[in-house]
Amino acid sequence: MAGAQGVTGPPYTTGPTGVTGWTGYTGWTGWTGWTGAQGVQGNQGNQGNQGIQGVTGFTGVTGWTGVTGPVSSLTGVFNVVLTNPVAGTGAGELVVPANISFSDWILVSHDPAPSITIDLWKTTAGGWPPGGDQSICTGNEPALSSDQANTGFAPGVWETPTAAAQEVVIVYIDSVSGVTRCTLSLLCRTT
């Protein structure tokens, strides 16, 4: 048989905590190393080749030479505009301001197939009214025959291609077809 357990002794008191020791110094940071030398700059690359030059454009076409102007003695133009002319009627009168000689005539129309024959009668104020026997065209009247323009000379073609100051020239429609509008121009020179 075992003997009885002995009595537990009194507890011991814990002694005070000792003083904490000094923290050691942090060591010095080492020196930063030297920056290395800058490298040598590389050579510049070669310049590229120049591009091919473009083709030179074509030279433009030379323009037409203008029509030679009238001689200096040309002093005037009588323009007679005929609208819806009627055959067998007078279409206008020209009072001549000075002694003139007709040199050329020009007849134009914008109609597609105009046909017209125009006679010119000449008289004085005292000989009014004129008649076909006073024609100055002698069968060579200004005319269009399905064409839109025509020209002609008066000297050597008309029997009397002249008119004196204050004479009257009558524009007379011999025949007409397909004309709504046309213009007769009479070029003249002083004599």
Side-chain angles (χ1 to χ4, degrees):
M1 168 169 201
Q5 181 174 349
V7 178
T8 301
Y12 292 102
T13 302
T14 302
T17 302
V19 178
T20 302
W22 294 99
T23 301
Y25 289 105
T26 302
W28 295 99
T29 300
W31 294 98
T32 301
W34 296 100
T35 301
Q38 181 175 347
V40 178
Q41 180 176 348
N43 295 329
Q44 181 175 349
N46 294 331
Q47 181 175 348
N49 295 330
Q50 182 175 349
I52 299 172
Q53 182 175 349
V55 178
T56 302
F58 294 107
T59 302
V61 177
T62 303
W64 297 99
T65 302
V67 177
T68 302
V71 294
S72 60
S73 61
L74 179 67
T75 57
V77 177
F78 290 107
N79 287 315
V80 182
V81 178
L82 307 172
T83 303
N84 297 316
V86 177
T89 63
E93 300 82 27
L94 309 172
V95 178
V96 179
N99 295 342
I100 61 170
S101 174
F102 293 105
S103 59
D104 305 271
W105 58 265
I106 303 168
L107 183 57
V108 296
S109 174
H110 290 288
D111 293 297
S115 292
I116 188 169
T117 301
I118 301 172
D119 202 355
L120 300 174
W121 299 347
K122 179 180 68 173
T123 188
T124 62
W128 196 266
D133 59 338
Q134 294 169 296
S135 172
I136 65 173
C137 298
T138 60
N140 295 294
E141 294 89 352
L144 296 175
S145 180
S146 298
D147 45 0
Q148 293 180 308
N150 196 10
T151 63
F153 280 122
V157 178
W158 290 354
E159 184 177 347
T160 53
T162 60
Q166 297 185 9
E167 284 190 317
V168 181
V169 176
I170 291 83
V171 178
Y172 184 82
I173 309 302
D174 276 345
S175 64
V176 62
S177 174
V179 176
T180 59
R181 180 182 169 95
C182 65
T183 301
L184 172 66
S185 297
L186 301 169
L187 285 67
C188 59
R189 298 183 177 90
T190 55
T191 57

Short mmCIF file of all heavy atoms in Angstrom, two decimals, residues 105 107 109 112-117 142-150 175 177 179:
data_model
loop_
_atom_site.label_atom_id
_atom_site.label_comp_id
_atom_site.label_asym_id
_atom_site.label_seq_id
_atom_site.Cartn_x
_atom_site.Cartn_y
_atom_site.Cartn_z
N TRP A 105 -22.34 91.10 -148.04
CA TRP A 105 -23.55 90.82 -147.27
C TRP A 105 -23.38 89.49 -146.55
O TRP A 105 -22.66 88.61 -147.00
CB TRP A 105 -24.81 90.82 -148.14
CG TRP A 105 -24.81 89.84 -149.28
CD1 TRP A 105 -24.45 90.08 -150.57
CD2 TRP A 105 -25.19 88.46 -149.22
NE1 TRP A 105 -24.56 88.95 -151.34
CE2 TRP A 105 -25.02 87.93 -150.54
CE3 TRP A 105 -25.65 87.61 -148.23
CZ2 TRP A 105 -25.30 86.60 -150.86
CZ3 TRP A 105 -25.92 86.29 -148.54
CH2 TRP A 105 -25.75 85.80 -149.85
N LEU A 107 -25.94 86.66 -144.35
CA LEU A 107 -27.30 86.29 -143.98
C LEU A 107 -27.23 85.04 -143.11
O LEU A 107 -26.62 84.04 -143.50
CB LEU A 107 -28.14 86.03 -145.24
CG LEU A 107 -29.62 85.70 -145.05
CD1 LEU A 107 -30.35 86.79 -144.29
CD2 LEU A 107 -30.28 85.47 -146.41
N SER A 109 -29.41 82.43 -140.02
CA SER A 109 -30.66 82.04 -139.37
C SER A 109 -30.37 80.85 -138.46
O SER A 109 -29.50 80.03 -138.75
CB SER A 109 -31.71 81.64 -140.41
OG SER A 109 -32.88 81.13 -139.76
N PRO A 112 -33.69 75.31 -138.51
CA PRO A 112 -32.97 74.11 -138.96
C PRO A 112 -32.77 74.01 -140.47
O PRO A 112 -31.75 73.52 -140.92
CB PRO A 112 -33.82 72.95 -138.43
CG PRO A 112 -35.15 73.54 -138.12
CD PRO A 112 -34.94 74.98 -137.80
N ALA A 113 -33.73 74.46 -141.28
CA ALA A 113 -33.59 74.35 -142.74
C ALA A 113 -34.23 75.58 -143.38
O ALA A 113 -35.26 75.49 -144.06
CB ALA A 113 -34.24 73.07 -143.24
N PRO A 114 -33.63 76.75 -143.18
CA PRO A 114 -34.25 77.97 -143.66
C PRO A 114 -34.02 78.18 -145.17
O PRO A 114 -32.95 77.89 -145.69
CB PRO A 114 -33.55 79.06 -142.87
CG PRO A 114 -32.18 78.50 -142.62
CD PRO A 114 -32.39 77.01 -142.46
N SER A 115 -35.05 78.68 -145.84
CA SER A 115 -34.93 79.08 -147.24
C SER A 115 -35.56 80.45 -147.38
O SER A 115 -36.72 80.65 -147.01
CB SER A 115 -35.63 78.08 -148.16
OG SER A 115 -34.95 76.84 -148.16
N ILE A 116 -34.78 81.41 -147.87
CA ILE A 116 -35.28 82.77 -148.03
C ILE A 116 -34.45 83.48 -149.09
O ILE A 116 -33.25 83.23 -149.23
CB ILE A 116 -35.24 83.55 -146.69
CG1 ILE A 116 -35.95 84.90 -146.82
CG2 ILE A 116 -33.82 83.70 -146.18
CD1 ILE A 116 -36.18 85.60 -145.49
N THR A 117 -35.10 84.33 -149.88
CA THR A 117 -34.43 85.19 -150.86
C THR A 117 -34.87 86.62 -150.58
O THR A 117 -36.07 86.89 -150.50
CB THR A 117 -34.80 84.80 -152.30
OG1 THR A 117 -34.40 83.43 -152.51
CG2 THR A 117 -34.08 85.68 -153.30
N PRO A 142 -29.24 88.25 -151.72
CA PRO A 142 -28.86 87.46 -150.54
C PRO A 142 -29.89 86.36 -150.31
O PRO A 142 -31.10 86.61 -150.39
CB PRO A 142 -28.87 88.48 -149.40
CG PRO A 142 -28.66 89.81 -150.08
CD PRO A 142 -29.35 89.69 -151.40
N ALA A 143 -29.43 85.15 -150.06
CA ALA A 143 -30.36 84.03 -149.94
C ALA A 143 -29.78 82.92 -149.07
O ALA A 143 -28.56 82.77 -148.94
CB ALA A 143 -30.70 83.49 -151.33
N LEU A 144 -30.70 82.14 -148.49
CA LEU A 144 -30.38 80.88 -147.81
C LEU A 144 -31.20 79.80 -148.49
O LEU A 144 -32.36 80.02 -148.83
CB LEU A 144 -30.75 80.93 -146.33
CG LEU A 144 -30.01 81.94 -145.44
CD1 LEU A 144 -30.59 81.91 -144.03
CD2 LEU A 144 -28.53 81.63 -145.41
N SER A 145 -30.58 78.64 -148.66
CA SER A 145 -31.30 77.52 -149.26
C SER A 145 -31.01 76.28 -148.42
O SER A 145 -30.09 75.50 -148.72
CB SER A 145 -30.87 77.31 -150.71
OG SER A 145 -31.56 76.22 -151.29
N SER A 146 -31.75 76.14 -147.32
CA SER A 146 -31.59 75.03 -146.36
C SER A 146 -30.26 75.07 -145.62
O SER A 146 -29.91 74.12 -144.94
CB SER A 146 -31.76 73.66 -147.05
OG SER A 146 -33.06 73.55 -147.59
N ASP A 147 -29.50 76.16 -145.77
CA ASP A 147 -28.29 76.32 -144.96
C ASP A 147 -28.53 77.49 -144.01
O ASP A 147 -29.37 78.34 -144.26
CB ASP A 147 -27.04 76.54 -145.82
CG ASP A 147 -27.28 77.55 -146.95
OD1 ASP A 147 -28.41 78.08 -147.05
OD2 ASP A 147 -26.34 77.82 -147.70
N GLN A 148 -27.78 77.53 -142.92
CA GLN A 148 -28.04 78.52 -141.88
C GLN A 148 -27.23 79.79 -142.01
O GLN A 148 -27.44 80.73 -141.25
CB GLN A 148 -27.82 77.89 -140.50
CG GLN A 148 -28.84 76.80 -140.19
CD GLN A 148 -28.59 76.19 -138.83
OE1 GLN A 148 -27.48 75.76 -138.53
NE2 GLN A 148 -29.63 76.14 -138.00
N ALA A 149 -26.31 79.83 -142.96
CA ALA A 149 -25.51 81.04 -143.16
C ALA A 149 -25.03 81.09 -144.59
O ALA A 149 -24.75 80.05 -145.21
CB ALA A 149 -24.32 81.07 -142.20
N ASN A 150 -24.91 82.33 -145.10
CA ASN A 150 -24.40 82.52 -146.46
C ASN A 150 -23.84 83.93 -146.54
O ASN A 150 -24.26 84.83 -145.81
CB ASN A 150 -25.52 82.31 -147.49
CG ASN A 150 -24.98 82.13 -148.90
OD1 ASN A 150 -23.78 81.98 -149.10
ND2 ASN A 150 -25.87 82.15 -149.88
N SER A 175 -39.04 85.40 -151.49
CA SER A 175 -39.61 84.10 -151.14
C SER A 175 -39.08 83.68 -149.78
O SER A 175 -38.00 84.11 -149.36
CB SER A 175 -39.25 83.04 -152.20
OG SER A 175 -37.84 82.84 -152.22
N SER A 177 -39.38 80.20 -146.70
CA SER A 177 -39.93 78.94 -146.21
C SER A 177 -39.11 78.48 -145.02
O SER A 177 -37.87 78.45 -145.09
CB SER A 177 -39.89 77.88 -147.32
OG SER A 177 -40.30 76.62 -146.82
N VAL A 179 -38.57 79.86 -142.09
CA VAL A 179 -37.78 80.88 -141.39
C VAL A 179 -38.66 81.58 -140.36
O VAL A 179 -39.70 82.15 -140.70
CB VAL A 179 -37.21 81.93 -142.37
CG1 VAL A 179 -36.47 83.02 -141.60
CG2 VAL A 179 -36.30 81.28 -143.39
#
